[in-house]
Amino acid sequence: MNMTKKLMILLLAMLACMTVSAQDTVIDETCPPQFPGGDAALINFLNANIVYPSQAAQDKVEGKVIVQFTVKKTGKIDDVKVLRSVRKDLDDEAVRVVKMMPDFIPAKQDGEVTDMPYTIPVSFKLFDEMEPLTVSEGSDVPDDFEPPMFPGGERAVMEFLKENVKYPPMAAKRKTQGRVVMTFVVDKTGKVTEIKVAKSVDIYLDTEAIRVCKLLPDFIPARQNGEPVSVWFTLPITFKL
């Protein structure tokens, strides 16, 4: 057998080995767990539900608590624990909010639903400004206090909500209705900050209410003794099919 034939046979043998090797390769496809609505909805959920522990706020303690839990095959959360602590009261608040989360879309590995660990950071950060003035119905309003105003007044607020609120498809599918009560700070410049859900309906309606509040234009800021002040403002958003 001449050298050319030997090389041809060797090359064919190598190709045959490569083909068998390729056929035996298994691609490991893993889809991690997912919060319903994705990462943006997860962030909104945390923003809407975290309550800064009062003592930590007084002590001006800030930080990021790393929380880990298992998303079961059913999507339910189990085995919640703190991987990185800041302080006990912040740790406890982070765990409390994580345990409130709705069921996740469970993980899949090679097409099969499976349990899988999931890790999230829960950040606690104080605002630089002083605590905003809270004015609620029935409370004693200072004589020189002028509340914040949406540009155009109450009718303009209603028109803004009518134009911008989109009924979440999943809420419509479930026939979920109700009034989400939002609270936020109108700061000294009229900007809307610290958006939170004061009264929840469900994750889908809550998330849409948060999204719309983030679209709000600057308000005419509140004034006390003629000076602009930061105040809490409450806005109900009604969802009706």
Side-chain angles (χ1 to χ4, degrees):
M1 185 180 297
N2 61 33
M3 184 59 69
T4 302
K5 286 185 177 179
K6 285 183 179 180
L7 288 172
M8 289 291 293
I9 291 170
L10 180 60
L11 180 59
L12 288 170
M14 289 173 65
L15 286 171
C17 290
M18 289 172 68
T19 304
V20 171
S21 177
Q23 288 175 344
D24 290 342
T25 300
V26 176
I27 299 173
D28 181 16
E29 293 184 356
T30 302
C31 296
Q34 186 176 5
F35 188 87
D39 291 343
L42 172 57
I43 293 168
N44 286 339
F45 179 90
L46 294 175
N47 288 339
N49 290 283
I50 286 175
V51 177
Y52 217 111
S54 57
Q55 190 59 54
Q58 290 178 25
D59 296 341
K60 298 184 178 179
V61 177
E62 299 179 327
K64 186 179 291 184
V65 180
I66 306 296
V67 181
Q68 186 181 74
F69 50 89
T70 299
V71 177
K72 307 294 285 184
K73 295 178 182 179
T74 59
K76 295 192 178 300
I77 291 170
D78 190 26
D79 191 25
V80 181
K81 57 188 176 185
V82 174
L83 287 187
R84 190 175 81 185
S85 169
V86 174
R87 193 170 100 161
K88 188 177 185 306
D89 50 358
L90 297 187
D91 297 349
D92 290 346
E93 176 61 12
V95 169
R96 181 190 73 83
V97 172
V98 166
K99 287 182 176 180
M100 289 173 56
M101 287 182 175
D103 293 353
F104 274 57
I105 299 167
K108 283 189 176 182
Q109 194 162 25
D110 300 331
E112 297 292 328
V113 177
T114 184
D115 296 353
M116 188 171 288
Y118 193 93
T119 304
I120 62 169
V122 182
S123 295
F124 293 87
K125 183 169 177 61
L126 292 165
F127 287 80
D128 294 332
E129 291 189 7
M130 296 175 61
E131 182 68 16
L133 174 68
T134 301
V135 179
S136 57
E137 188 176 350
S139 64
D140 294 329
V141 179
D143 292 337
D144 297 328
F145 178 76
E146 298 174 24
M149 183 182 296
F150 187 88
E154 291 185 11
R155 183 179 294 275
V157 177
M158 296 301 104
E159 289 299 323
F160 176 88
L161 295 178
K162 188 182 296 185
E163 290 175 7
N164 289 280
V165 172
K166 310 297 181 187
Y167 218 108
M170 281 300 296
K173 184 177 179 181
R174 296 180 178 187
K175 298 183 179 179
T176 306
Q177 303 182 87
R179 176 179 291 179
V180 180
V181 179
M182 301 298 300
T183 183
F184 48 82
V185 172
V186 177
D187 72 13
K188 295 176 183 180
T189 66
K191 293 191 180 302
V192 172
T193 66
E194 296 193 60
I195 298 168
K196 297 181 182 296
V197 176
K199 181 182 176 185
S200 170
V201 176
D202 80 348
I203 182 61
Y204 303 106
L205 298 187
D206 295 353
T207 299
E208 175 60 10
I210 292 169
R211 183 191 71 82
V212 171
C213 284
K214 288 182 177 180
L215 298 175
L216 288 167
D218 292 355
F219 278 57
I220 300 167
R223 288 182 174 271
Q224 188 172 9
N225 298 324
E227 295 295 326
V229 292
S230 298
V231 298
W232 287 100
F233 191 93
T234 301
L235 179 67
I237 300 179
T238 301
F239 293 86
K240 186 172 177 61
L241 291 168

